[in-house]
Amino acid sequence: MSVLIMDRVARDHGSGAGLVHALRDFSLRLDPGEFVAVMGPSGSGKSTLLTLAGGLDTPTSGQVLVEGVDLGALPRAGVARMRRQRIGYVFQDLNLIPSLTAAENVMLPRELDGVRARQARREAVHALAEVGVPELADRFPEDMSGGQQQRVAIARALAGDRRLVLADEPTGALDSHTGEEVMRILRGRCDAGAACLMVTHESRHAAWADRVVFLRDGRMVDGTGPRPGPETLLEAR
Ligand SMILES: Nc1ncnc2c1ncn2[C@@H]1O[C@H](COP(=O)(O)OP(=O)(O)OP(=O)(O)O)[C@@H](O)[C@H]1O
Ligand SMILES: [Mg+2]
């Protein structure tokens, strides 16, 4: 079963002269094991695409299915449950909760889902170790560097073995070495059966993906077949 199906999805904002087609007629299928990168200029609809895939926003038209479940047919609580159980999300602006430690941030979605604190803590420590920052478990976001916060945000998306990982520029604040490490982690998750949709500006990182979807003005301009695209993409892998 596909992990994600987006069928002719569109998202408009505003109306009249202020109407913006943030995403138009967008279709995509992500199967288990697939890693797809999304590239495109600022304002082309990349974050819009991810919020729709993750059930954080509702399409103006079209359907979004996660593991066979039509998000549009679920009540709010059902969508929230899908997000907690099935979907890991790395936000472009991280969204760590300042009053919680790194481990508590990572634990939170799991605890909301009824996982016991001790188990959630174990998963959190494991996820923090997976992204290379086990020592940050009890530190608060304001006492971390941007790159450290970013790794914690990634750990939060990975804890609990979620099948759909959505990452909006997960390497934005990371040096190139750490960025590659994050790519290796996401690639490993996909090789273990998850599906990952990642926004990136770096072709070096897109080269880790099986396919690259290019957006321009809310439209997919090129997204068929296995395509590293420019030669640089092939060399970087
Ligand atoms: N809540 C909103 N209300 C009105 N317009 C919006 C809203 N969210 C996004 N847009 C518009 O939709 C378009 C796509 O925005 P989006 O954030 O998806 O772009 P992006 O590709 O992620 O850009 P960036 O690379 O800068 O993060 C832009 O024109 C943006 O101004
Ligand atoms: Mg964006």
Side-chain angles (χ1 to χ4, degrees):
M1 189 205 301
S2 295
V3 178
L4 173 70
I5 294 175
M6 300 181 77
D7 185 27
R8 287 164 292 163
V9 171
R11 179 64 166 109
D12 297 338
H13 289 292
S15 60
L19 180 65
V20 177
H21 298 290
L23 196 67
R24 337 184 197 203
D25 195 31
F26 185 89
S27 296
L28 176 75
R29 206 180 89 187
L30 257 182
D31 286 329
E34 278 197 297
F35 187 2
V36 172
V38 182
M39 303 187 82
S42 183
S44 59
K46 304 180 300 295
S47 294
T48 300
L49 165 58
L50 254 63
T51 57
L52 293 167
L56 293 166
D57 188 19
T58 311
T60 307
S61 62
Q63 276 187 315
V64 178
L65 284 79
V66 175
E67 299 208 283
V69 178
D70 180 357
L71 298 185
L74 288 179
R76 251 167 197 272
V79 177
R81 189 173 329 111
M82 288 292 286
R83 286 209 307 267
R84 290 196 307 269
Q85 295 180 341
R86 312 293 178 93
I87 304 171
Y89 206 109
V90 185
F91 294 92
Q92 189 165 14
D93 50 9
L94 305 185
N95 274 357
L96 292 177
I97 297 172
S99 57
L100 299 181
T101 64
E104 288 165 350
N105 265 283
V106 176
M107 289 164 68
L108 185 65
R110 301 290 291 153
E111 288 194 282
L112 288 173
D113 204 38
V115 173
R116 287 175 178 223
R118 191 179 296 177
Q119 166 73 11
R121 165 97 195 175
R122 209 165 20 231
E123 290 176 359
V125 169
H126 182 81
L128 288 169
E130 192 176 350
V131 299
V133 289
E135 72 281 5
L136 297 181
D138 298 314
R139 219 186 280 179
F140 290 92
E142 66 175 7
D143 302 325
M144 299 175 203
S145 70
Q148 289 172 331
Q149 290 182 24
Q150 193 136 21
R151 294 209 232 185
V152 173
I154 293 162
R156 181 175 56 185
L158 297 180
D161 203 25
R162 281 166 266 183
R163 301 263 295 156
L164 176 60
V165 177
L166 302 169
D168 202 343
E169 299 209 41
T171 56
L174 301 176
D175 61 62
S176 63
H177 173 74
T178 313
E180 290 293 301
E181 223 171 81
V182 168
M183 289 307 108
R184 197 165 290 121
I185 290 164
L186 293 178
R187 181 73 255 179
R189 274 301 166 115
C190 293
D191 293 344
C196 181
L197 190 59
M198 172 187 72
V199 173
T200 182
H201 278 119
E202 304 228 25
S203 46
R204 210 159 32 85
H205 292 156
W208 286 82
D210 301 305
R211 285 188 283 150
V212 183
V213 164
F214 294 94
L215 286 179
R216 183 175 295 276
D217 296 328
R219 248 189 250 283
M220 190 190 291
V221 287
D222 204 357
T224 49
R227 106 180 21 262
E231 290 313 306
T232 50
L233 292 183
L234 279 174
E235 285 161 17
R237 174 84 190 250

